[in-house]
Amino acid sequence: GDRIWDDRNANGIQESYEPGLARWVVELVDDFGTVAGTTTTDANGNYRFEVVVPAVYQVRVTPGAGYVPTYDLDGTATPGVAQVTVGSSSTNNDVDFGYRLARCRIGNFVWVESDGNGVYNAGEAGLANVGIIVIDSSNMPVASSTTGTNGAYLIDNLPPGTY
């Protein structure tokens, strides 16, 4: 066992400021595909299995809603699954998984609505230096930007939500 953490900068390295992810379900699956054990991460994102039979196992993580993988111990093509060989009288406490919340983007174009039809038409000029504020469902500002010289803007790295 070991830890599932919130890889806030998505670099696949556990930094001291990145918290563990609590209450995530982790399964230990034997080489026959049978679930040999199930546990839940603690408040620090730690988990542990006591294995009686030495064998090759898979550790499978059920990610929380909106999370995407950033680190997987064995780097296989199956995120959230790591293959682990457990020998007699051995301990393996480095089966870690990093996840982060999927990020969203909001952006488009602010223009001069010269013909009044409410639809952008070719030739209508973009507006530069217009302030854009993203407000969450609690009516709190969470991000801001300013349109570029052509009227375009992009606000990146927002958590999933209603804005």
Side-chain angles (χ1 to χ4, degrees):
D2 205 26
R3 189 165 188 255
I4 301 172
W5 86 96
D6 185 353
D7 191 6
R8 294 190 169 167
N9 61 6
N11 69 354
I13 299 169
Q14 289 187 60
E15 273 99 11
S16 60
Y17 64 88
E18 293 176 321
L21 295 167
R23 297 182 302 280
W24 283 38
V25 175
V26 184
E27 295 177 323
L28 185 68
V29 181
D30 67 19
D31 55 353
F32 298 106
T34 304
V35 176
T38 301
T39 190
T40 304
T41 58
D42 66 16
N44 297 313
N46 298 313
Y47 72 94
R48 180 181 172 99
F49 290 104
E50 295 294 329
V51 177
V52 177
V53 180
V56 175
Y57 293 92
Q58 284 187 342
V59 177
R60 292 193 308 212
V61 175
T62 303
Y67 280 86
V68 294
T70 61
Y71 175 80
D72 182 320
L73 169 72
D74 61 5
T76 64
T78 309
V81 178
Q83 186 167 309
V84 179
T85 301
V86 177
S88 180
S89 299
S90 68
T91 300
N92 186 341
N93 285 329
D94 66 355
V95 187
D96 299 329
F97 297 89
Y99 284 84
R100 76 174 284 186
L101 275 173
R103 299 299 184 193
C104 302
R105 301 171 126 185
I106 296 175
N108 210 330
F109 181 64
V110 177
W111 73 93
V112 176
E113 178 50 79
S114 58
D115 63 5
N117 69 355
V119 177
Y120 172 74
N121 298 302
E124 291 180 316
L127 285 172
N129 300 314
V130 174
I132 306 291
I133 300 173
V134 177
I135 298 172
D136 69 11
S137 59
S138 302
N139 207 29
M140 297 298 298
V142 294
S144 63
S145 184
T146 303
T147 59
T149 57
N150 64 353
Y153 69 95
L154 178 66
I155 298 172
D156 209 358
N157 207 23
L158 295 167
T162 302
Y163 299 101

